[in-house]
Amino acid sequence: MATRLRPVSVLFKYLTVCNASKKCTVIGGSGFLGQHMVERLLDKGYSVNVFDIRQGFKNEQVQFFIGDLCSKKDLLPSLQGVNVVFHCASPAPSSDNKELFYKVNYTGTMTVIEACKEVGVQKLVLTSSASVIFEGRDIKHGTEDLPYAKKPIDYYTETKILQEKEVLKANDPANNFLTVAIRPHGIFGPRDPQLVPILVETAKSGKMKFMIGDGKNLVDFTYVENVVHGHILAGEHLQKDSPLCGKAYHITNDEPIPFWAFLTRILIGLNYDAPKYLIPYWLAYYLAFFLSFLVFILGPLIKIKPTFTPMRVALAGTYHYYSCERAKKDMGYKPVVSLDQAVERTIKSYSHLRRAS
Ligand code: NAD
């Protein structure tokens, strides 16, 4: 009897191992990138848990765990029996709450690492950012070998650096815990609450008249499905002795485009006027610098949060595009949606924001 049952029990064990390796948790799965990750993972046959402080959508195939990633007690139930964790939670970069950035991105990520180790999660894939190497000066075809920014463009990015360092340091093949960081840049696509809605708002308010610089500076804008593809490939290629262990990878559309040409395509596609006038980069930068200085001086008297800051000028007026050769070589990455298709799909998905003719 026992001998007749053996093949069945071996098959059962094999299926259990296969199922476990396809069981994942997406931390931040209610967000823009997170929700796209969940949809693609389900398509690929993964069983998916979402851990987030809010439930952003409903899907009967997904098990939701609502909690704060800074609490190990909240996290643990969502990680039971899971093989791979995708950590793409963060406070919005537009927040000016430094304490929150530090708490969630840095100490919270250390809690995620601890919780993963405690329950025996084998792989952790972090969503970092290509901006961890950007200091407001031109980067052309930047590789992952460039050092972390000594003067990051903002506090959010400073905590993304701290977070990435901790995750990569935690890679520990001897104890069966492997880590990798994905660095996307300028994610866009359907349901993004930031880029297109803010662009349209700015155009509507008549503030989208000037291009900073000569309009030629190339930047990476990365379609959300390509970012998702990079994360899933990373999760699947992250194995003991693979080159991915403890490394960071740029994921882009591999088609850098002039910053202002990209915005113009979206604006024209939604029937808004594109910016027409050029303002020299140095002039915009010093104006923004002067404005920040004024805000600092007047700080004790009035609270103003300017949107025209030196950091925003640098983001709009410098070259910053990144090489994804390492991802191509180590995990066979190739964008799955071209920039033309991506722009077309994005414009279509925001038809409700289109200006009536
Ligand atoms: P998002 O704001 O849409 O999603 C973030 C999610 O994290 C939200 O659902 C939020 O509720 C959740 N979250 C925040 N604090 C939490 C906490 N304490 N506990 C549990 N959940 C929490 O952001 P996104 O644009 O989807 O970005 C996803 C990731 O990609 C972030 O790590 C971000 O730094 C990184 N990134 C984004 C871009 C971009 O252009 N959007 C570029 C580079 C890197």
Side-chain angles (χ1 to χ4, degrees):
M1 187 75 167
T3 36
R4 276 177 59 210
L5 270 181
R6 191 169 296 142
V8 178
S9 62
V10 168
L11 180 66
F12 181 71
K13 203 169 166 192
Y14 172 75
L15 288 175
T16 313
V17 170
C18 288
N19 268 346
S21 72
K22 282 232 151 188
K23 184 151 187 195
C24 65
T25 298
V26 183
I27 302 178
S30 290
F32 162 51
L33 172 63
Q35 195 180 332
H36 281 275
M37 294 268 300
V38 170
E39 288 165 358
R40 186 71 193 118
L41 286 161
L42 289 172
D43 284 349
K44 287 184 67 94
Y46 281 79
S47 135
V48 183
N49 291 343
V50 163
F51 181 90
D52 204 295
I53 36 170
R54 63 188 177 101
Q55 178 161 354
F57 62 101
K58 282 198 179 126
N59 186 326
E60 280 172 7
Q61 288 172 275
V62 175
Q63 194 169 359
F64 283 92
F65 295 84
I66 304 302
D68 184 341
L69 66 84
C70 302
S71 154
K72 194 159 79 173
K73 192 168 130 282
D74 285 0
L75 274 169
L76 288 174
S78 75
L79 306 178
Q80 297 293 342
V82 161
N83 170 259
V84 52
V85 167
F86 298 96
H87 171 14
C88 57
S90 169
S94 53
S95 156
D96 54 1
N97 189 339
K98 284 189 167 187
E99 210 179 300
L100 185 70
F101 282 135
Y102 190 82
K103 185 169 156 262
V104 177
N105 286 349
Y106 181 50
T107 55
T109 295
M110 291 203 283
T111 309
V112 169
I113 294 170
E114 246 180 75
C116 285
K117 285 181 169 174
E118 197 168 310
V119 294
V121 167
Q122 288 117 57
K123 307 181 195 185
L124 173 62
V125 181
L126 170 75
T127 312
S128 179
S129 166
S131 298
V132 296
I133 55 174
F134 181 60
E135 286 192 335
R137 286 191 295 273
D138 288 347
I139 291 187
K140 297 181 179 177
H141 218 66
T143 66
E144 294 85 347
D145 299 324
L146 287 171
Y148 287 113
K150 282 202 186 76
K151 286 187 191 154
I153 45 169
D154 52 21
Y155 191 71
Y156 155 78
T157 311
E158 202 170 321
T159 58
K160 292 297 285 180
I161 296 176
L162 293 173
Q163 171 190 59
E164 186 187 287
K165 283 182 178 171
E166 286 302 327
V167 167
L168 300 185
K169 202 169 75 187
N171 180 61
D172 184 4
N175 286 306
N176 209 17
F177 183 60
L178 308 177
T179 65
V180 64
I182 296 300
R183 294 177 177 173
H185 191 270
I187 311 175
F188 74 101
R191 301 193 298 255
D192 172 19
Q194 303 277 330
L195 198 147
V196 177
I198 292 174
L199 190 60
V200 166
E201 252 337 285
T202 318
K204 274 186 182 167
S205 65
K207 289 184 190 158
M208 195 40 91
K209 298 245 184 301
F210 293 96
M211 286 186 250
I212 294 167
D214 59 8
K216 292 182 183 153
N217 57 305
L218 295 173
V219 170
D220 279 315
F221 286 96
T222 313
Y223 191 56
V224 64
E225 284 182 32
N226 293 327
V227 179
V228 168
H229 181 53
H231 280 74
I232 298 178
L233 279 179
E236 290 177 348
H237 283 74
L238 184 60
Q239 307 285 349
K240 260 187 190 172
D241 304 323
S242 80
L244 279 79
C245 292
K247 277 211 202 131
Y249 287 86
H250 293 155
I251 290 293
T252 72
N253 241 77
D254 209 16
E255 291 177 80
I257 175 170
F259 180 87
W260 295 101
F262 179 80
L263 298 196
T264 297
R265 284 182 71 176
I266 302 276
L267 285 170
I268 301 278
L270 291 171
N271 202 26
Y272 292 92
D273 297 329
K276 287 193 195 89
Y277 311 107
L278 295 177
I279 168 165
Y281 181 76
W282 64 267
L283 180 60
Y285 191 87
Y286 283 110
L287 280 175
F289 188 76
F290 180 65
L291 186 66
S292 305
F293 182 67
L294 265 185
V295 168
F296 175 73
I297 296 288
L298 298 175
L301 302 173
I302 26 170
K303 199 110 197 98
I304 316 169
K305 197 182 166 213
T307 48
F308 184 60
T309 61
M311 184 270 281
R312 295 246 171 119
V313 170
L315 283 171
T318 59
Y319 286 74
H320 42 110
Y321 63 96
Y322 303 86
S323 158
C324 53
E325 289 308 310
R326 183 190 269 184
K328 288 183 189 167
K329 187 166 150 272
D330 290 353
M331 51 171 122
Y333 172 74
K334 190 169 167 265
V336 285
V337 181
S338 72
L339 198 65
D340 281 348
Q341 289 170 317
V343 169
E344 199 179 308
R345 287 187 199 177
T346 304
I347 290 170
K348 225 176 186 174
S349 76
Y350 285 99
S351 54
H352 54 289
L353 296 183
R354 195 182 173 78
R355 185 172 67 172
S357 300

